[in-house]
Amino acid sequence: MLRLFLIITLPLFVLDQVTKRAIVARFDPPDPVTRIVDYQTVIPGFFDLVRVHNRGVAFGMFNGGQWSNYIFGGISVVALTVILFLWKKGILASLMSRIAGALLISGILGNVTDRLTLGYVVDFLHFEVNNWAWPSFNVADACITIAAGLLILDSFLNPHPPASKESEA
């Protein structure tokens, strides 16, 4: 666990925090009334850097709730506890599932750090294709999404054996 923490979790957590702080330093905050965000086009018609404040969950869902930041911060702490419990119990047995666990920890810690220090999560990566835009996200969100994909893939590549009749009794 320590090796994956040092190789995956810690560097990605640092990358997440450094990039978010750079965005906060470089871009103006979103206008609270119009919600217009400051942005810089990187690849026209495809990729922009933006500064979005997200107090909700993925894709800004529940962003306007008065208690959203606290509720989702609490859910994140519970998720971290569950992941660490599963890891300690050996349930994350394959290398792929342990890498996914390391990515999840990195992503959750990155967004919880924002909630605690800023009061919102900073999203800044914005992609669009043919006027269809993907909701803005950050490095931590990417870690969580990749981890989910790895866990799904792992469930097909390394299925757990079915419970025996004796263990059911």
Side-chain angles (χ1 to χ4, degrees), residues 13-128:
F13 171 77
V14 170
L15 176 64
D16 177 68
Q17 291 301 297
V18 167
T19 54
K20 289 173 178 175
R21 295 314 180 251
I23 292 297
V24 168
R26 161 68 174 81
F27 292 89
D28 292 330
D31 185 285
V33 176
T34 64
R35 296 191 177 191
I36 294 174
V37 298
D38 192 8
Y39 71 95
Q40 175 67 50
T41 298
V42 178
I43 301 172
F46 180 68
F47 175 57
D48 300 323
L49 292 174
V50 298
R51 179 175 173 181
V52 176
H53 295 179
N54 184 355
R55 289 178 174 83
V57 290
F59 314 125
M61 291 186 300
F62 311 111
N63 199 11
Q66 179 181 359
W67 299 99
S68 295
N69 203 39
Y70 301 107
I71 292 168
F72 296 120
I75 290 170
S76 297
V77 170
V78 170
L80 277 173
T81 303
V82 169
I83 293 164
L84 293 172
F85 173 80
L86 294 174
W87 200 313
K88 184 173 177 145
K89 289 292 185 182
I91 295 172
L92 300 177
S94 71
L95 178 59
M96 190 178 301
S97 66
R98 290 192 307 271
I99 290 171
L103 288 168
L104 281 171
I105 292 169
S106 175
I108 292 168
L109 285 176
N111 286 340
V112 165
T113 299
D114 283 9
R115 290 183 191 283
L116 293 174
T117 60
L118 301 172
Y120 53 85
V121 175
V122 177
D123 291 334
F124 62 91
L125 300 168
H126 181 80
F127 290 89
E128 62 182 82

